[in-house]
Amino acid sequence: MVQDFFLLMRSELMLILIIFGLLFLKLGNARLKNETVMNMVNAVLIATLAMGFLVKDTGMIFGNMFHTTDLIRLEKNILTLGTLIISLQSYQWLKAHKHAMEFYLLLISTLLGMFFMLSSANLLMFYLGLELSTIPLAAMVNFDLHKKQSSEAAFKMIVSSAFSSALLLFGISWMYGIVGSVSYSAIAAAVTGSPLEIFAFVMILAGFGFKISAVPFHLWTADVYEGAPIPVTSYLSVISKGAILFVFITVLYSVFRSMGDTWYYMLYILSVATMLIGNLFAMRQQNMKRFLAFSSIAQVGFILLGISGQSVASSTSLIFFVLIYIFSNLAAFGVVSLVSSAYDKEKVDDYKGFYQTNPLLAWTLAIALFSLAGIPPTAGFFGKFFLILAGAAKGNWLLITIAALNMIISLYYYQRVVKAMFMDHNAAPLEKINTPLSPKIALIICIAGILITGLYSGAYEYIYQLVS
Amino acid sequence: MGAGSLIALAIAAVAFSSIALLVAKLVTKATKNKQKGEAYECGVPSKGPNWIQFNVGYYLFALVFLIFDVELVFLFPWAVVVKSVGWIALVEIVVFFFILFLGLLYAHKKGALKWK
Amino acid sequence: MFSLEDITQSVHNWLYETMNPTLALMVEFAIIGVLVIALFAFLGLVLVMMERKVSSWMQLRLGPNRIGPWGWFQTVADTLKLIVKEGMTPNNVDRLLFNLAPILVIIVSMVIMAPLMFAKGFQIWDINIGVLFVSAVSSLSVIGILMAGWASNNKYSLLGAMRSGAQIVSYELSAGLSMLTIVVLTGSLKVSDIIQAQETGWWLFKGHIPAIIAFVIFIIAATAETNRAPFDMAEAESELTAGFHTEYSGMKFALFFLAEYVNIFVVCAIGATLFLGGWMPFHVGNWEQFNHIMDYIPTPIWFFGKTFFLIFVIMWFRWTFPRLRIDQLLNLEWKYLLPISIVNILLVTVIALAGWHF
Amino acid sequence: MNLNWLIVLPVVSALAILPFSQLKQVRSIAAIGATLQLLLSCVLLYVFMQDPASGMSGSLAFESSYAWYKPLHIYHSVGVDGISIAMIMLTAIVVLAGVLISWNMEKMSREFFFLLMLLSAGAYGYFISTDVFTMFFFLELAVVPKFLLIGIWGSGKKEYSATKLVLMLMGASALVFIGLSGLYFNNASGNLSFNMSELAANPLSVEQQKFFFPFAFIGFGVFTALFPFHTWVPDGHSSAPTAASMFLAGISMKLGGYGILRVATTIMPEAAHYYSPYIIVLSAIAILYGSFATMMQTDLKYINAYSSVSHTGFVLFGIGMLTKTAIAGAVIQMVSHGLMTALFFAVIGMVYERTHTRMVDKMGGLLKSIPFISTVFMIAGLTSLGLPGFSGFVAEMMVFIGSWENGGTLHRVATIAATASIVVTAVYILRAIGKVIMGPVEHEAYFEFKDARWNEKSAAIILVAAILVIGITPFLINHLITPGTEAIMNKLVANP
Amino acid sequence: MVPVSHILLLSTALFFIGMYGLFTRRNMIALLMSIELMLNSININFVAFNKYLWPGQLDGIFFTIFIITIAAAEAAIAIAIVINLYRSHLSIDVNDAAELKH
């Protein structure tokens, strides 16, 4: 029992260790440099990552509320990796920040929440994890305390997340009324697809829709992404979204499996709307963060398309895509973050002639954007291709055509940034940016990930083997 | 008696207070006076908006209170069953309080509990 | 042993025999309402008088002594005066909230009576979460106070209300925690169970040191929650005129005043129930004779006796301690009482689990 | 022989370029890489021709297969037949010529040669793939380098052209993708598969073919300037730097034709029959429209670009006719046009470098000042015109003869109309040659010009030699591609 | 005993009143209150289902307790943000918080 507890919850315990360690340091009047703190946290994160891969085990504890499988462990590792990258990238921003420790406290708390969410085998556990991962995020969005935008974004974030939680809970409460239990297995066994269940499911779906910012539940996304500090934005767009998607797929595939035909059409509509609106709005954005926000909405559309395939390949592709998406989006945000912290410039036009002064960063951003657009040989190509292929298994060719056309629209706005960097003339391009070591490492990890994950199929096959 | 008694009590309270107010209204004689409607500030004419911005410290306390009050939500069910559950309940509540206590310490450290 | 249980039971039976259930229930409710209102009136008169008398004794003076024997009818006269005074509403107030606030306060203090056990078998509703109910409903009164302060459109009122709000919510924590120590010992939230568990001795004595600590904390918190001196920051007359009810006059003021005294009674009644055994007579070990004599004293007298003793203690405080500054007040709660309560509840858990209490 | 060397070699040379930044180092590495590619292709050709067992039997040679994404049944499988080898040779020649032409690319030379090598890797990979997924991968791989090459090193309205090109080509790949996934899910074997021979052996039902054929055909067709989607060609070609133009027109446009042959017609033969009239009409329009549009142009690059629309129209035209000779003609036209247009763009680049203009009106009498370049210019023009002895003649001749074999009324009418375009071609080619090469010398400064340097000369010589080889000994290439075309024909005949 | 349908009607009405408030009110505190309304309607749902339909398990009650706690935490953070916002905007009207518009 105790052994199980330590073995199954080792990732969570590591994070708790970080949280308490930081708290004690803070309480114990430790006068540490921010860099020291960051290095310590990074080291522990690396240890967590390594531990996640070490022992394979599955099991349930806490009265079947918390379960771990190799797949869940892998999902956790993916999120840890992403968090590590973000932590490395936030160096520039946190270096002189007054509240670096608090930032890490909140960051790790949200990650812990996600871990619990992933491991939940029960809607109560899921809800707790979800809230643990969103409430500190709102505080993180407000982390630039003196900036108006930051507070505004935080307020939008917390109101919309609370609203979506309310929707989700309303659905869950009805589900509980129908089934009499909130455990996944009991619900899965009892669901038949009656109208009341569909009502409850729609509510749950709407809640999820908010969290993953699918159209028409996306209205908060762009504002929050723009207002938040960049590391937080990247965290929001990648890690938190990825975690919710992982759970979403579990909920859809194992809890509401028997309602598959019903939710296929819902996902169909959501997916089309999300792709179209996300893309169309992304085209007219001038601010890099907003632009990436809308592009991430569009990405969700593709993900929903992949999920609608309802097969092993769908889950695999989703997890694979999230992994790739972490690399690609974080590479993009990494560069944006460097530029923003050096010159406080976030407009697309500011990137004109960027290549002349910062060739390496320009290439990094370009590769990241190409990966987001899904162009070979970057991993994004594989990720997107497999997602659409998974969706195509249903034989809905209209949907696939819409998706394919949306890829072109998305390519248009991604290449717009590349064009600004490489082709447009600018009399006074941004000066050379000095990249400190840790963001450099983060970018190298990202680029390596982008280039390797796709061409080398090991990751996909590993995930596939775990899923099936 | 059941939950109905609460409603009965509430109705009694409303009846009591409204009758009292009504009686008072009936037996008193209202007089008009220009100064009477002014806010009472010890005879000095009131200056500026009265819905003033008050010390932010109140908010801080309200926030800290909110968290600690909610902790009581968990403590009540716990307190009822603690004897039947046994020592593990103590362990769990120690963990719970430990975390809360750290929160309190943190608030103290940050000066949230200092009246400014 | 004299008991009110028989009376209530026979009234209940008679009602249900003579009329249909709905009507009977209604009549019962009416009786309850009348009784509670009567209690209110009684408490209002007695407590105000008591306050004045206690104050005067403490200050070596006579206190009210003109109306009636030893001035006993002074409060009646005061009440009459309040009735005939004009209850005015100032010009710039939020009328709805302003008039609602006193009623709300009265509702709260009346509803909170429900789980109180005035005597053996004499209780309005033996709600199974009695203690939780009390602490939940009592925190509603702060809404009335804030409402009054906000609606008054007066700087003093607002400041007083804010102070009183901060103070009440702060001390609620340690009050709740000290109440919980008894719940841990008893294992039930039901008032009747708690009293029953004290048949062999009051928790104050049975519960060892933690119960005593909890009792002390409870009394302090109760004093603070009712805005009594030395915690009367909210209506510190020398700086804030009259705090949140500065703008109230006539009957509306009287309602606030009444609610305040009723609240004192309620918290003391809770204290008496939890720590001093409610209506349980005072028993000492195996002194059978003594215990027997004690049993002859009617249970309502025990209950009211204990309650009024606690009320007296609280009134005593008023003339013993100087008023605290707001920072001292909050410091006391957050830096001393709350940590002590938390440690105390752990201590009491250990005692309860190890069976070290009697 | 392991065909993967054809992918590895350019990738390695591309990576080898990265550490260096000096033009001299970079260009020599690129040149060595391109030369090795050409040598490797020649070796491949030699081995293929020598190997009677696999070489000339019509089945694929040098096949090998690696499991790539095993759960999805995606394999990296390669194999070649004559058609592929012809395309590989074309690629190798054009790449070498392109590298030589860009010998003095001062601006961001490292990136330029890197992208060029990457582009060639994409082209090789595409031509050797026998798995449609990897084929698609390489098809898209070749798009982004084009975008950057045009956008960064181009001239004129380069950003617009680059954007247009990348969007149209990616849109085309999206359509291709839908067609491919249709094949993947619906093939008769019931297994999910991307393998070409498996797909060809287990074709889709006719209804499904009819549904998916347009996706694949139009998708690939956009690469080959299919009529309403040809608009990227003039802009892209004219804005691109010389080497990129050579590559675009010489190789990139052939990707589409090759894809149509390999995927659309071989795997979906019934649908090919069904859609044949539409293909014919569209390509005939492209041929005529292209040639008439060329007549309006005065910019040399635009002349070549529009004439490319017309010439690649012949490729689709030949494929659409569905006869053996026409298909063989289409393949030869692909090779011939690749070489010819690359030569043309190269020579336009040389002229422009000297005169700093591409306007036909502003030049004249170049033969007197730069005879070598002018001669090459003339050869390119005459090949384009279809003069016997050059490759253009062989290709167009075969397409026309093959077309006549198809007896349908529509096909006949279209053939006659297409033939008429030759006259128009003659008009604009001769006019351009007459004005630019012949006639009086426009400026005194022309006599200051230096004739072609060694790199330009060698690039031109390689291309001219290849053109002449095809033009004079057409049976060689015919021999090479016949098994491949026969295999396609067998499919088409077996599934009317 | 009150039938369960009445309670569910009440809770559903509360939920949608809360939602309406969320969409129409412009005061930030009012928004938060609307959300609390929604959450409380969910609590009613859970408790009612637990008491009437599934008295055997305590899942609904547990859920309620946790929702209450988390709602409080959420409100705490939200109010902290509102205070911070008030300091910079000197208003808690949603319409005045319009820095982030495209």
Side-chain angles (χ1 to χ4, degrees):
Chain A
M1 173 63 204
V2 175
Q3 205 183 344
D4 269 6
F5 172 77
F6 281 107
L7 205 59
L8 290 176
M9 290 190 64
R10 58 182 189 269
S11 312
E12 286 80 3
L13 289 173
M14 280 302 269
L15 295 190
I16 291 171
L17 197 76
I18 304 180
I19 293 174
F20 279 103
L22 287 174
L23 253 178
F24 280 126
L25 283 178
K26 190 81 198 174
L27 293 175
N29 253 338
R31 296 233 172 277
L32 288 177
K33 277 171 139 184
N34 282 350
E35 277 129 65
T36 325
V37 175
M38 287 155 88
N39 291 337
M40 270 162 34
V41 175
N42 291 340
V44 186
L45 278 176
I46 292 169
T48 316
L49 196 59
M51 266 170 60
F53 282 111
L54 276 181
V55 192
K56 298 202 181 263
D57 47 36
T58 56
M60 284 202 159
I61 42 175
F62 291 135
N64 292 348
M65 281 180 87
F66 183 98
H67 77 142
T68 304
T69 62
D70 289 335
L71 181 65
I72 288 171
R73 177 129 289 143
L74 175 76
E75 289 170 350
K76 286 177 187 171
N77 283 333
I78 291 174
L79 297 182
T80 315
L81 176 65
T83 312
L84 179 65
I85 295 173
I86 288 172
S87 160
L88 287 170
Q89 280 177 352
S90 47
Y91 175 84
Q92 224 27 356
W93 175 66
L94 274 186
K95 168 172 76 171
H97 203 288
K98 253 168 64 190
H99 302 294
M101 269 192 195
E102 278 89 343
F103 178 77
Y104 274 115
L105 268 177
L106 294 170
L107 185 82
I108 303 297
S109 307
T110 57
L111 190 62
L112 185 66
M114 287 166 201
F115 280 12
F116 277 111
M117 192 161 75
L118 286 174
S119 276
S120 61
N122 183 306
L123 285 170
L124 177 56
M125 194 71 177
F126 160 65
Y127 173 66
L128 290 179
L130 180 72
E131 291 298 328
L132 181 54
S133 68
T134 44
I135 295 177
L137 259 179
M140 277 161 71
V141 171
N142 199 0
F143 224 73
D144 279 341
L145 284 171
H146 53 282
K147 279 191 186 165
K148 272 186 198 177
Q149 288 191 348
S150 196
S151 314
E152 228 179 277
F155 186 74
K156 277 179 183 158
M157 161 95 194
I158 192 127
V159 167
S160 54
S161 89
F163 177 60
S164 64
S165 302
L167 287 178
L168 193 72
L169 282 173
F170 196 64
I172 292 175
S173 74
W174 279 94
M175 220 18 124
Y176 170 69
I178 298 162
V179 176
S181 167
V182 286
S183 88
Y184 286 174
S185 49
I187 294 175
V191 166
T192 54
S194 66
L196 201 57
E197 281 167 4
I198 291 175
F199 168 73
F201 175 76
V202 168
M203 283 290 177
I204 293 177
L205 186 68
F208 270 111
F210 259 102
K211 304 277 182 193
I212 59 176
S213 60
V215 175
F217 312 111
H218 68 290
L219 295 164
W220 59 279
T221 318
D223 291 353
V224 172
Y225 282 20
E226 188 186 348
I230 293 179
V232 180
T233 309
S234 47
Y235 190 78
L236 267 172
S237 74
V238 180
I239 312 291
S240 104
K241 201 175 261 185
I244 308 250
L245 281 168
F246 289 153
V247 180
F248 188 45
I249 202 163
T250 318
V251 169
L252 283 183
Y253 280 15
S254 52
V255 182
F256 295 106
R257 174 168 279 285
S258 50
M259 286 168 68
D261 292 339
T262 316
W263 55 255
Y264 175 74
Y265 287 101
M266 298 175 190
L267 283 194
Y268 175 24
I269 293 162
L270 278 184
S271 161
V272 170
T274 308
M275 279 188 284
L276 274 175
I277 304 284
N279 274 332
L280 293 179
F281 276 86
M283 281 209 285
R284 47 187 284 250
Q285 299 307 323
Q286 287 305 318
N287 182 300
M288 278 300 270
K289 277 154 86 184
R290 280 186 91 82
F291 158 71
L292 286 170
F294 276 108
S295 92
S296 84
I297 293 177
Q299 305 277 1
V300 168
F302 288 104
I303 290 172
L304 289 177
L305 164 67
I307 293 176
S308 73
Q310 306 183 28
S311 62
V312 176
S314 299
S315 334
T316 317
S317 312
L318 174 101
I319 296 167
F320 186 58
F321 184 80
V322 170
L323 175 64
I324 290 164
Y325 184 60
I326 283 177
F327 290 132
S328 327
N329 222 12
L330 288 186
F333 270 116
V335 176
V336 174
S337 160
L338 281 172
V339 172
S340 168
S341 56
Y343 302 110
D344 202 20
K345 286 188 169 163
E346 291 174 357
K347 289 261 178 343
V348 174
D349 288 345
D350 297 330
Y351 284 80
K352 279 186 178 171
F354 191 58
Y355 179 80
Q356 297 161 25
T357 45
N358 297 285
L360 278 176
L361 285 180
W363 272 115
T364 309
L365 187 52
I367 291 175
L369 292 175
F370 282 138
S371 179
L372 286 173
I375 287 174
T378 57
F381 166 76
F382 296 93
K384 232 170 211 179
F385 187 89
F386 295 154
L387 269 183
I388 299 180
L389 207 60
K394 279 271 168 185
N396 190 342
W397 296 104
L398 179 62
L399 179 56
I400 305 306
T401 313
I402 294 171
L405 292 179
N406 271 297
M407 277 185 71
I408 309 311
I409 303 179
S410 74
L411 181 63
Y412 168 73
Y413 56 76
Y414 287 123
Q415 64 88 28
R416 203 172 58 127
V417 180
V418 178
K419 187 172 81 102
M421 286 193 300
F422 284 90
M423 301 169 197
D424 285 344
H425 276 290
N426 190 349
L430 296 174
E431 298 283 300
K432 175 121 184 79
I433 291 170
N434 220 340
T435 317
L437 182 63
S438 47
K440 207 178 260 173
I441 295 172
L443 288 178
I444 289 170
I445 296 175
C446 288
I447 291 298
I450 291 174
L451 293 178
I452 291 168
T453 325
L455 291 175
Y456 172 65
S457 62
Y460 186 90
E461 276 163 21
Y462 182 63
I463 298 169
Y464 189 89
Q465 171 212 334
L466 289 184
V467 169
S468 51
Chain B
M1 289 300 298
S5 59
L6 296 184
I7 298 168
L9 283 173
I11 290 171
V14 174
F16 171 68
S17 40
S18 39
I19 287 171
L21 287 172
L22 202 69
V23 169
K25 188 114 191 163
L26 287 178
V27 299
T28 55
K29 183 165 162 285
T31 55
K32 286 242 159 74
N33 185 338
K34 209 180 156 200
Q35 306 284 305
K36 217 167 116 183
E38 294 294 308
Y40 176 74
E41 282 173 18
C42 305
V44 183
S46 183
K47 258 192 180 173
N50 285 322
W51 278 311
I52 47 174
Q53 203 181 350
F54 32 80
N55 198 327
V56 77
Y58 288 113
Y59 281 120
L60 286 178
F61 278 94
L63 291 179
V64 180
F65 158 73
L66 199 56
I67 301 304
F68 278 86
D69 198 35
V70 166
E71 136 238 24
L72 284 174
V73 171
F74 290 110
L75 280 182
F76 271 98
W78 167 82
V80 174
V81 296
V82 62
K83 266 169 141 178
S84 48
V85 172
W87 289 99
I88 189 80
L90 180 68
V91 175
E92 279 171 2
I93 214 67
V94 165
V95 171
F96 184 72
F97 272 129
F98 176 67
I99 294 168
L100 269 177
F101 213 78
L102 281 184
L104 189 63
L105 275 179
Y106 181 75
H108 174 65
K109 179 99 189 159
K110 279 274 155 185
L113 300 179
K114 209 187 224 161
W115 191 255
K116 282 180 289 242
Chain C
M1 192 166 95
F2 171 75
S3 167
L4 288 170
E5 203 165 8
D6 307 333
I7 302 170
T8 54
Q9 201 56 46
S10 57
V11 169
H12 180 80
N13 292 340
W14 180 76
L15 280 173
Y16 275 84
E17 277 162 22
T18 46
M19 48 189 92
N20 71 24
T22 320
L23 201 60
L25 197 67
M26 288 294 147
V27 173
E28 273 189 347
F29 283 163
I31 294 171
I32 289 170
V34 169
L35 282 179
V36 173
I37 290 171
L39 180 68
F40 260 55
F42 166 75
L43 286 174
L45 296 178
V46 169
L47 287 178
V48 174
M49 196 60 213
M50 181 174 162
E51 171 106 272
R52 303 177 109 177
K53 282 292 180 193
V54 170
S55 305
S56 56
W57 292 336
M58 301 244 165
Q59 296 167 330
L60 293 179
R61 56 183 171 89
L62 285 175
N65 56 1
R66 296 297 158 90
I67 305 168
W70 302 289
W72 275 110
F73 295 121
Q74 178 69 45
T75 42
V76 180
D78 284 349
T79 314
L80 284 173
K81 180 201 76 175
L82 280 172
I83 288 177
V84 295
K85 276 183 88 171
E86 183 192 350
M88 51 172 263
T89 312
N91 288 343
N92 297 319
V93 299
D94 185 327
R95 281 179 178 276
L96 177 70
L97 292 184
F98 186 80
N99 291 319
L100 203 60
I103 300 179
L104 185 78
V105 171
I106 287 289
I107 292 174
V108 168
S109 43
M110 209 169 257
V111 169
I112 212 170
M113 293 280 174
L116 291 187
M117 209 169 192
F118 296 98
K120 193 179 180 191
F122 195 76
Q123 191 181 16
I124 296 171
W125 181 22
D126 195 10
I127 181 170
N128 57 2
I129 48 160
V131 176
L132 178 61
F133 178 85
V134 168
S135 70
V137 175
S138 68
S139 34
L140 284 179
S141 68
V142 78
I143 293 176
I145 291 172
L146 281 175
M147 229 186 214
W150 179 259
S152 291
N153 191 11
N154 181 319
K155 296 184 186 88
Y156 292 141
S157 300
L158 187 57
L159 267 179
M162 290 305 292
R163 281 182 181 186
S164 137
Q167 176 181 334
I168 292 177
V169 297
S170 299
Y171 281 82
E172 205 171 273
L173 294 176
S174 36
L177 284 170
S178 47
M179 277 152 82
L180 272 177
T181 55
I182 303 304
V183 178
V184 168
L185 289 168
T186 317
S188 170
L189 289 166
K190 210 168 179 173
V191 172
S192 60
D193 285 352
I194 291 173
I195 295 175
Q196 206 57 48
Q198 304 182 60
E199 198 170 8
T200 53
W202 303 347
W203 281 124
L204 185 60
F205 306 126
K206 277 207 304 187
H208 282 299
I209 297 164
I212 295 169
I213 297 174
F215 180 67
V216 171
I217 290 176
F218 182 82
I219 291 296
I220 297 173
T223 317
E225 274 205 73
T226 46
N227 285 331
R228 299 274 315 170
F231 302 104
D232 59 345
M233 286 301 306
E235 39 198 280
E237 60 270 20
S238 45
E239 33 182 306
L240 290 180
T241 321
F244 63 90
H245 52 54
T246 304
E247 292 289 355
Y248 284 87
S249 59
M251 206 58 216
K252 286 176 204 158
F253 166 73
L255 290 179
F256 271 118
F257 203 61
L258 177 62
E260 241 172 76
Y261 278 100
V262 173
N263 279 340
I264 297 172
F265 171 78
V266 170
V267 295
C268 290
I270 300 289
T273 309
L274 291 174
F275 296 97
L276 304 177
W279 51 261
M280 275 293 167
F282 182 65
H283 287 182
V284 181
N286 41 12
W287 293 6
E288 292 298 334
Q289 304 295 318
F290 176 80
N291 292 352
H292 219 63
I293 295 167
M294 288 292 155
D295 283 346
Y296 274 106
I297 301 173
T299 51
I301 294 186
W302 277 112
F303 175 76
F304 280 98
K306 289 167 189 172
T307 308
F308 274 83
F309 168 70
L310 289 183
I311 293 173
F312 171 71
V313 169
I314 284 181
M315 286 177 176
W316 190 358
F317 284 169
R318 178 168 180 181
W319 302 110
T320 312
F321 299 109
R323 179 187 294 149
L324 273 72
R325 260 197 342 258
I326 182 127
D327 58 330
Q328 292 169 330
L329 180 138
L330 291 165
N331 259 350
L332 175 67
E333 163 63 16
W334 289 102
K335 298 194 180 150
Y336 299 99
L337 292 189
L338 185 62
I340 291 173
S341 314
I342 290 177
V343 172
N344 189 42
I345 201 162
L346 294 177
L347 200 63
V348 84
T349 317
V350 173
I351 286 183
L353 287 170
W356 289 339
H357 62 90
F358 299 109
Chain D
M1 176 177 178
N2 193 336
L3 290 174
N4 286 311
W5 284 111
L6 278 174
I7 304 171
V8 172
L9 194 57
V11 169
V12 165
S13 36
L15 293 179
I17 286 169
L18 282 183
F20 301 101
S21 56
Q22 296 299 313
L23 172 64
K24 275 183 183 166
Q25 300 155 335
V26 167
R27 69 184 179 195
S28 21
I29 293 171
I32 291 168
T35 317
L36 285 178
Q37 287 168 31
L38 184 59
L39 285 177
L40 193 65
S41 319
C42 291
V43 170
L44 177 66
L45 177 68
Y46 177 76
V47 177
F48 182 80
M49 299 289 271
Q50 289 305 306
D51 188 353
S54 62
M56 303 309 294
S57 65
S59 64
L60 296 170
F62 311 123
E63 277 190 292
S64 65
S65 183
Y66 305 93
W68 196 5
Y69 280 89
K70 212 167 187 179
L72 292 170
H73 308 282
I74 291 171
Y75 292 84
H76 173 66
S77 40
V78 294
V80 286
D81 65 357
I83 300 176
S84 324
I85 291 197
M87 292 298 153
I88 289 165
M89 288 299 297
L90 168 69
T91 311
I93 290 168
V94 173
V95 169
L96 182 56
V99 169
L100 287 173
I101 283 295
S102 320
W103 204 245
N104 293 318
M105 178 55 75
E106 295 284 353
K107 183 184 175 191
M108 288 155 74
S109 48
R110 173 170 49 174
E111 286 80 0
F112 182 83
F113 286 108
F114 173 77
L115 290 174
L116 215 55
M117 287 295 133
L118 204 60
L119 198 52
S120 64
Y124 287 124
Y126 180 80
F127 289 130
I128 62 172
S129 295
T130 58
D131 182 286
V132 282
F133 175 80
T134 43
M135 196 169 162
F136 178 69
F137 172 80
F138 286 115
L139 181 69
E140 288 213 343
L141 179 59
V143 172
V144 169
K146 287 178 210 164
F147 167 69
L148 292 173
L149 281 173
I150 295 175
I152 299 175
W153 290 275
S155 55
K157 39 179 187 172
K158 54 181 183 165
E159 290 94 354
Y160 167 77
S161 311
T163 307
K164 189 169 176 179
L165 173 127
V166 76
L167 288 182
M168 288 195 73
L169 293 191
M170 287 308 276
S173 349
L175 293 177
V176 170
F177 165 70
I178 296 171
L180 298 191
S181 33
L183 296 174
Y184 176 68
F185 285 109
N186 296 322
N187 67 72
S189 70
N191 298 327
L192 303 178
S193 172
F194 275 124
N195 191 293
M196 273 185 202
S197 43
E198 239 178 86
L199 290 174
N202 305 296
L204 279 63
S205 71
V206 176
E207 284 307 308
Q208 281 166 338
Q209 285 191 14
K210 279 182 186 167
F211 182 76
F212 289 112
F213 185 86
F215 285 108
F217 180 79
I218 296 174
F220 283 123
V222 174
F223 280 85
T224 319
L226 180 68
F227 166 59
F229 309 108
H230 65 279
T231 52
W232 64 272
V233 177
D235 289 322
H237 287 180
S238 54
S239 305
T242 306
S245 299
M246 289 166 68
F247 210 99
L248 266 178
I251 302 168
S252 189
M253 288 177 79
K254 309 300 167 297
L255 300 179
Y258 181 81
I260 290 174
L261 272 181
R262 274 272 178 271
V263 178
T265 51
T266 317
I267 302 178
M268 296 183 274
E270 283 99 340
H273 282 290
Y274 178 79
Y275 285 108
S276 162
Y278 303 94
I279 301 172
I280 298 297
V281 169
L282 285 179
S283 48
I285 293 174
I287 292 168
L288 288 172
Y289 168 83
S291 46
F292 279 105
T294 316
M295 276 178 57
M296 307 288 129
Q297 306 301 326
T298 53
D299 184 321
L300 279 175
K301 270 198 159 181
Y302 271 100
I303 288 178
N304 199 19
Y306 273 104
S307 77
S308 284
V309 175
S310 167
H311 283 120
T312 47
F314 283 113
V315 176
L316 292 178
F317 194 74
I319 294 171
M321 282 300 170
L322 301 177
T323 64
K324 191 188 153 198
T325 323
I327 288 177
V331 174
I332 297 175
Q333 171 72 351
M334 283 199 263
V335 179
S336 150
H337 174 252
L339 294 168
M340 174 270 287
T341 199
L343 182 64
F344 216 146
F345 275 121
V347 86
I348 291 169
M350 295 178 208
V351 169
Y352 177 73
E353 198 190 318
R354 289 165 176 80
T355 60
H356 300 291
T357 178
R358 293 194 309 241
M359 292 302 158
V360 174
D361 310 343
K362 295 189 177 155
M363 287 183 273
L366 282 178
L367 190 59
K368 298 185 179 75
S369 58
I370 39 177
F372 182 85
I373 294 175
S374 306
T375 316
V376 176
F377 189 104
M378 209 139 42
I379 294 171
L382 294 177
T383 316
S384 173
L385 184 146
L387 199 72
F390 297 113
S391 62
F393 171 74
V394 179
E396 286 176 14
M397 216 41 219
M398 280 183 79
V399 170
F400 289 137
I401 293 168
S403 305
W404 206 252
E405 284 172 10
N406 193 324
T409 321
L410 178 71
H411 297 75
R412 287 275 156 86
V413 173
T415 311
I416 292 166
T419 320
S421 78
I422 295 206
V423 182
V424 185
T425 312
V427 171
Y428 64 72
I429 291 292
L430 291 176
R431 199 182 61 183
I433 290 176
K435 180 73 183 79
V436 176
I437 307 294
M438 314 293 181
V441 176
E442 196 75 16
H443 291 289
E444 285 302 309
Y446 280 14
F447 292 107
E448 310 285 311
F449 291 162
K450 287 205 168 67
D451 208 349
R453 285 179 295 274
W454 70 268
N455 57 313
E456 293 168 338
K457 273 184 186 160
S458 37
I461 287 168
I462 295 168
L463 290 168
V464 170
I467 289 173
L468 287 175
V469 166
I470 296 174
I472 295 165
T473 57
F475 46 85
L476 281 181
I477 187 165
N478 202 18
H479 183 59
L480 178 68
I481 65 171
T482 303
T485 47
E486 264 172 1
I488 295 170
M489 261 332 280
N490 293 340
K491 270 277 163 200
L492 284 169
V493 173
N495 303 288
Chain E
M1 204 96 130
V2 190
V4 66
S5 57
H6 286 33
I7 297 177
L8 295 183
L9 225 67
L10 169 76
S11 71
T12 312
L14 264 183
F15 186 82
F16 286 103
I17 290 168
M19 204 193 269
Y20 175 79
L22 191 69
F23 290 143
T24 52
R25 300 307 293 268
R26 296 270 67 101
N27 184 304
M28 290 182 183
I29 301 293
L31 295 186
L32 294 179
M33 284 159 75
S34 306
I35 285 172
E36 291 296 312
L37 209 58
M38 293 167 78
L39 290 174
N40 281 332
S41 92
I42 293 158
N43 287 342
I44 293 173
N45 250 353
F46 269 117
V47 173
F49 282 133
N50 200 122
K51 183 156 171 59
Y52 285 83
L53 301 180
W54 313 100
Q57 305 111 318
L58 287 173
D59 292 3
I61 305 284
F62 285 150
F63 228 118
T64 306
I65 290 178
F66 280 104
I67 292 173
I68 291 172
T69 323
I70 286 171
E74 216 157 38
I77 299 276
I79 290 171
I81 291 167
V82 172
I83 295 167
N84 200 27
L85 203 55
Y86 181 79
R87 280 179 178 171
S88 52
H89 284 275
L90 292 180
S91 153
I92 54 169
D93 192 288
V94 175
N95 291 337
D96 295 337
E99 288 261 310
L100 294 167
K101 266 194 182 158
H102 38 104

